[in-house]
Amino acid sequence: MSEPRDPSDTPDPSDAFDDIVDNETTRDPDLAVIEAGSRTLRTQGGPPQGDPVPGRPEDPELDKALREVETELSTRWGETKLEPSVTRIAALMDVLGEPQRAYPSIHITGTNGKTSTARMIEALLGAFELRTGRYTSPHVQTITERISLDGAPISAERFVETYEDIKPYVELVDAREEYRLSFFEVLTGMAYAAFADAPVDVAVVEVGMGGTWDATNVIDGSVAVVTPIDLDHTDRLGGTTAEIAGEKSGIIKRGATVVLAQQPVDAAQVLLKKAVGEDATVAREGMEFGIVSREVAVGGQLLTLRGLGGEYDTVFLPLHGAYQAHNAAVALAAVEAFFGIGAEHARTLDVDTVRRAFAQVASPGRLEIVRSSPTVILDAAHNPHGARATAEGVSEAFGFSRLIGVVSTSGDKDARGLLEAFEPIFAEVVVTANSNPRATDVDTLAAVAVEVFGEDRVVGSSASVQRVSPLVAPTDTSPLPATFA
């Protein structure tokens, strides 16, 4: 590893961008026909504050009030039970006076990288002195993390107040509709109301699942961002990346700017067809923007990014993994598009401001180092695509000689695919169950792990595992990454 270097020491990467198309994309000749009908972005010429993962309120009365709200929300459909429509959330927005129309929005969908990209977009917008609202899911520790203002989760007090403010309107819609508003729909209504009340200059909104019928999809995002699409939630979104892209393309609105991360060819075809139909402007990673150079640095990585308006060199990103560099390129292009760079303005954003913003980005639960001696890393990879990116990031950024994985998955996830992604880097795997009621049964997960790793490398409880050995406290060269999916 090396320390982030002075710009004068960095090689001139200007010629490298010419290779991005060849190196970063797999093109299909048929895409040229699709793209001919769509305009493309071709340039002619306050950082987050506060604790990103707050704990419970210290005030007992406030903590009690927050728990009461959480209890009431828990009586509603959970996030895994869906009725694919925006009918109820649209009705709630109507009785609330359409709060989501009070500010412009950047809407983000995709399979992996949505939350990290949202945090980067938020940091960039804040650095340019815009007041931001960010809505992401799920939360790492407390429910208040899902709704952020000015780069920090709203306070427990404000969360409770927002719920109480919209509760009568929620009950009104509940009484009118065939089904009550779900947990996620109520939270979405709370977020949009909180943003309007703040008020924010721009909202950064991550979809919960899919796009077309996702509860967040009652906004008209002037910028639609699609992070990499892969297989996940196939029972609801479709069994191919093309089918999944069809659902996710629903966030592309008339005349919007669409920022596309690298995509499988079939997914790209679907997204570009949707953009053509909506007369949307398209910016594609590997074409209109991308990564010019990247190198591992102490505490993260040093990047040169090609934006819609030009190059941004010596950008330090305090996050690990090549996938985070790609997220940074997408986030930068989205913010440039929001400011009209590449369409109305042929210039770059202020590079020093961009550097400051990226240098302060945090993404809890994404290759997050939570302690040392022994080193413990947390990562929320929950599908094979995300797990492969995590495994590559660990191998690149850390010089571990022996790695022990602690893994729990949700019952609806591809546990085998996830374990297969980690098999090359885990010396042993400890299978367990997290506190989520959807967690996979330990015996079931252990049986799969034995098939992937072999009996001698699995620690857990299963009829297939003949030993249940205690985990010996690892040394500095035997770190313990905890991966919960």
Side-chain angles (χ1 to χ4, degrees), residues 341-408:
I341 304 297
E344 301 171 17
H345 309 293
R347 57 177 174 79
T348 63
L349 298 172
D350 180 72
V351 67
D352 288 331
T353 303
V354 169
R355 288 171 182 152
R356 285 197 302 272
F358 275 122
Q360 299 183 62
V361 168
S363 192
R366 278 74 177 177
L367 280 180
E368 180 186 8
I369 302 172
V370 294
R371 64 161 290 172
S372 57
S373 299
T375 302
V376 178
I377 303 170
L378 299 181
D379 193 87
H382 57 276
N383 55 54
H385 180 263
R388 288 191 295 271
T390 295
E392 291 170 4
V394 169
S395 298
E396 176 186 75
F398 303 95
F400 298 145
S401 61
R402 187 167 181 269
L403 199 60
I404 300 174
V406 179
V407 178
S408 172

Side-chain angles (χ1 to χ4, degrees), residues 293-370:
S293 66
R294 185 182 78 87
E295 63 180 88
V296 176
V298 173
Q301 50 195 306
L302 190 66
L303 311 174
T304 293
L305 302 175
R306 174 75 174 186
L308 304 176
E311 289 184 0
Y312 300 78
D313 64 0
T314 323
V315 175
F316 177 66
L317 181 67
L319 301 174
H320 301 291
Y323 68 97
Q324 293 289 19
H326 288 281
N327 290 340
V330 170
L332 177 61
V335 173
E336 285 183 310
F338 181 79
F339 285 123
I341 304 297
E344 301 171 17
H345 309 293
R347 57 177 174 79
T348 63
L349 298 172
D350 180 72
V351 67
D352 288 331
T353 303
V354 169
R355 288 171 182 152
R356 285 197 302 272
F358 275 122
Q360 299 183 62
V361 168
S363 192
R366 278 74 177 177
L367 280 180
E368 180 186 8
I369 302 172
V370 294

Side-chain angles (χ1 to χ4, degrees), residues 14 103 109 111 115 126 144 179 220 236 240 249 289 381 390 408 414:
S14 59
Y103 37 81
T109 190
T111 300
T115 298
T144 58
Y179 304 107
D220 293 320
R236 297 177 178 87
T240 68
S249 69
F289 68 94
T390 295
S408 172
D414 181 2

Side-chain angles (χ1 to χ4, degrees), residues 68-255:
E68 289 175 352
V69 172
E70 292 171 317
T71 298
E72 289 188 26
L73 289 172
S74 70
T75 65
R76 298 179 176 274
W77 279 359
E79 290 171 282
T80 59
K81 185 173 182 179
L82 306 167
E83 194 276 319
S85 77
V86 294
T87 301
R88 291 176 303 282
I89 187 66
L92 179 61
M93 293 297 99
D94 181 55
V95 297
L96 287 176
E98 304 291 344
Q100 81 281 15
R101 312 286 184 202
Y103 37 81
S105 300
I106 297 176
H107 207 177
I108 306 169
T109 190
T111 300
N112 291 310
K114 296 186 295 295
T115 298
S116 293
T117 302
R119 287 179 174 276
M120 293 178 193
I121 291 172
E122 173 190 52
L124 285 164
L125 293 169
F128 285 99
E129 300 183 354
L130 292 183
R131 187 164 204 204
T132 59
R134 173 173 53 82
Y135 181 50
T136 53
S137 60
H139 55 274
V140 176
Q141 185 164 295
T142 62
I143 196 170
T144 58
E145 298 164 34
R146 295 181 180 230
I147 304 172
S148 290
L149 293 172
D150 297 321
I154 64 173
S155 66
E157 182 177 23
R158 191 163 192 169
F159 187 91
V160 172
E161 289 174 350
T162 301
Y163 176 76
E164 294 297 337
D165 284 345
I166 76 165
K167 183 178 178 179
Y169 302 96
V170 168
E171 292 173 343
L172 179 63
V173 173
D174 283 344
R176 292 178 177 176
E177 299 295 326
E178 181 179 2
Y179 304 107
R180 298 171 69 213
L181 287 153
S182 70
F183 168 87
F184 188 73
E185 287 170 332
V186 175
L187 278 178
T188 301
M190 290 173 60
Y192 290 161
F195 296 161
D197 185 61
V200 301
D201 298 312
V202 55
V204 182
V205 178
E206 173 191 334
V207 303
M209 185 186 301
T212 301
W213 42 259
D214 186 73
T216 63
N217 202 29
V218 288
I219 58 173
D220 293 320
S222 59
V223 178
V225 177
V226 186
T227 64
I229 290 175
D230 209 275
L231 299 180
D232 199 12
H233 302 296
T234 53
D235 57 329
R236 297 177 178 87
L237 304 180
T240 68
T241 50
E243 291 174 338
I244 293 172
E247 289 294 337
K248 294 182 182 293
S249 69
I251 73 165
I252 299 174
K253 303 299 170 56
R254 191 75 180 172

